[in-house]
């Protein structure tokens, strides 16, 4: 259940890449928005489980030397997951009209936005420093590429 918001965002990323040539810029925006919205709903669904149990951990797999790739979700994690998915979805919703007339790179923009949101969700639900570090680097890379999105325009 902990991984469901991440899976919703990952599904949106894969759909953006897979349907890049078939969708218009506006439809790509709506696809990204509904992926973020699905992650928000998946986070909301976890609230009753957190209220009942307090927290829960999920180990996805063991990495090198038995270092677990694990997620930990508690009440504070849920608050920040709601913040990341809620604000992220609101930003993507705003971008649907803003990016509708963009001539190119819309798929890249929405993939970066969904990856950024997934990095935030992963960061606040990380159970160890390895996952926190990796998710922090993902967030940093997405920020770098989003700031330089219009790299071909000299004014930007």
């Amino acid at each position: 259940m902990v991984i469901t918001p991440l899976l919703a965002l990952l599904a949106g990323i894969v759909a953006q890449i897979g349907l890049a040539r078939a969708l218009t810029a506006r439809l790509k925006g709506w696809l990204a928005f509904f992926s973020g919205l699905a992650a928000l709903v998946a986070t909301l669904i976890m609230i009753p489980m957190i209220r009942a149990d307090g927290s829960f951990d999920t180990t996805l797999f063991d990495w090198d030397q038995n270092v677990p790739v694990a997620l930990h979700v508690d009440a504070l994690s849920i608050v920040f997951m709601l913040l990341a998915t809620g604000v992220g979805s609101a930003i993507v919703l705003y971008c649907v009209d803003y990016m509708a007339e963009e001539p190119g790179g819309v798929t890249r923009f929405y993939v970066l936005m969904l990856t950024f949101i997934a990095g935030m969700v992963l960061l606040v639900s990380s159970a160890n420093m390895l996952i926190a570090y990796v998710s922090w680097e993902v967030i940093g890379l997405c920020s770098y590429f989003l700031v330089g999105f219009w790299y071909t325009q000299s004014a930007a």
Side-chain angles (χ1 to χ4, degrees):
M1 196 55 138
V2 178
I3 200 163
T4 309
L6 290 170
L7 290 176
L9 294 166
L10 181 63
I13 293 167
V14 170
Q16 286 286 338
I17 294 169
L19 299 173
R21 297 187 188 270
L23 298 178
T24 65
R26 190 175 302 275
L27 287 176
K28 290 175 187 178
W30 284 113
L31 176 63
F33 170 69
F34 285 119
S35 298
L37 191 64
L40 177 64
V41 169
T43 304
L44 287 169
I45 290 172
M46 283 193 283
I47 292 174
M49 295 181 339
I50 293 297
R51 291 188 68 184
D53 296 335
S55 68
F56 51 91
D57 297 311
T58 299
T59 301
L60 303 177
F61 58 91
D62 284 334
W63 192 53
D64 190 32
Q65 301 294 326
N66 294 328
V67 174
V69 174
L71 302 176
H72 172 81
V73 177
D74 56 10
L76 186 61
S77 308
I78 287 288
V79 168
F80 285 107
M81 287 171 74
L82 288 171
L83 184 69
T85 57
V87 172
S89 296
I91 291 169
V92 171
L93 179 62
Y94 173 78
C95 292
V96 170
D97 283 336
Y98 188 79
M99 298 295 289
E101 302 302 320
E102 181 66 26
V106 177
T107 301
R108 178 172 42 104
F109 176 78
Y110 288 121
V111 165
L112 285 170
M113 285 297 295
L114 291 174
T115 306
F116 182 88
I117 297 167
M120 291 292 291
V121 169
L122 190 61
L123 177 67
V124 300
S125 64
S126 61
N128 55 35
M129 291 302 291
L130 174 68
I131 303 304
Y133 176 75
V134 169
S135 59
W136 187 258
E137 290 299 320
V138 166
I139 292 166
L141 280 172
C142 290
S143 297
Y144 177 78
F145 288 127
L146 284 168
V147 166
F149 181 73
W150 285 291
Y151 63 93
T152 58
Q153 298 176 4
S154 61

